[in-house]
Amino acid sequence: MPSQAPKALILRTLGTNCEDETAFALEAAGATTEVVHLNRLIEKPGLLETAQILVVPGGFSYGDDVAAGRIFGQRLRHALQAQLAAFIDGGGYVLGICNGFQVLVELGLLEGLHVPASERQVALTDNESDRYECRWVTLENQNSAASWIEPGTVWPCPVAHAEGKLVATPETVQALEERGQIALRYTSADGSAPEYPELPNGSVGAIAGLCDATGRVLGLMPHPERNVTPWHHPRWTRLPSRDEGEGLALFRGLVAAAARA
C-alpha cells in the first residue's frame, strides 16, 4: 500500500484538452498528479513505476484524423505494451475518459493486450445521430468487476463526442455482462430505457462505460471531471444544496481503490 496519497499519471499528446480538469478532479479526490506527454513516457517508461493510476483524458488526440483514439492507442500498443501489462498486473489502475475510452478500445486494454486488433469484439464508432453530441445525460452504475464504483447510483454527467457509439454483437454483450465488464449505462431520468437524447450515441445496450475483467481498467464516454463542483451542473441553482458534483464520487472510488492496492 502506498505510504502517501496515490499518484496519478495523466497522459497527454497532440489534441488532448482535458488534462487540467482531470488533474483537478483527481487532486480533489485525494491523489497527487503529474501530467506527462506521451513522448516522455515512451522515453522514460519507468515513470509508470512511480504511479498507481494512469489516466488517458479527453480531447481529440491527433485530431481524430484516422479514427478517434486510433493513433494514440497504436502508439501505446507498439511502444509500451509490455510496460502497460506489467503496470496492470502489478495492481495499477487505468482510467480512460471520452477520447481516453476510445484510446483504450483501440489499444485493446479492455479486452486484453494479447488479443490482436483484428480480433477485437468491441468498437466505438460514429454517433447514431451522425453528429457531435454535447449534452448532459443520466448514468447508472452497474454491478461490475470495477467494485470501486458504487452499483445502483444514478447521477448526471455531460457527454461531448462524435464517435461514442459502442458496437458489439449480442453474444459479445452477453459475455461482457457475464464477466462483469459493463460498468456504466445511460438511463433516463425516470429510470426507463433511454432513447435519444438520453442515449446520446445509440450504444448497444445503452453502455456508457466498460471495465476489463480485473476491474482495474475503466473506460467511459461521459466526462465525470466536468461535474466535480456544485456549480458545474447547468441547473445548480435549482438543485438541492450539494457540497460537490456527483462525478467526484467516481474519482474518490478510484483513488481509494488505488490506495488499498
Side-chain angles (χ1 to χ4, degrees), residues 43-142:
E43 292 170 359
K44 299 181 178 180
L47 288 170
L48 278 173
E49 299 174 9
T50 70
Q52 293 76 46
I53 303 169
L54 176 67
V55 183
V56 186
F60 302 91
S61 59
Y62 301 97
D64 288 346
D65 285 341
V66 177
R70 182 163 299 171
I71 296 174
F72 200 165
Q74 289 304 311
R75 289 202 68 195
L76 284 168
R77 188 179 186 98
H78 289 294
L80 293 165
Q81 180 171 341
Q83 292 87 346
L84 288 169
F87 177 76
I88 297 165
D89 290 344
Y93 285 76
V94 180
L95 175 65
I97 302 171
C98 196
N99 192 236
F101 185 17
Q102 295 160 338
V103 170
L104 297 189
V105 170
E106 293 290 340
L107 173 59
L109 212 54
L110 295 163
E111 298 183 65
L113 283 167
H114 63 284
V115 179
S118 60
E119 297 179 14
R120 289 201 309 267
Q121 302 298 306
V122 173
L124 289 163
T125 189
D126 293 343
N127 296 341
E128 204 162 85
S129 64
D130 200 28
R131 68 181 187 182
Y132 181 79
E133 295 288 343
C134 182
R135 64 180 71 252
W136 281 71
V137 298
T138 304
L139 303 177
E140 182 175 8
N141 297 347
Q142 305 296 295

Side-chain angles (χ1 to χ4, degrees), residues 136-138 154-158 189 226-247:
W136 281 71
V137 298
T138 304
V154 176
W155 53 289
C157 192
R226 298 182 185 179
N227 185 17
V228 298
T229 77
W231 310 283
H232 275 150
H233 197 288
R235 296 174 60 86
W236 70 271
T237 60
R238 302 183 183 186
L239 294 173
S241 179
R242 299 145 66 238
D243 293 328
E244 61 189 41
E246 291 82 358

Side-chain angles (χ1 to χ4, degrees), residues 174-188:
Q174 181 178 350
L176 291 169
E177 191 88 63
E178 292 172 351
R179 292 194 295 264
Q181 289 188 247
I182 300 176
L184 300 108
R185 278 190 162 101
Y186 301 101
T187 188
S188 60

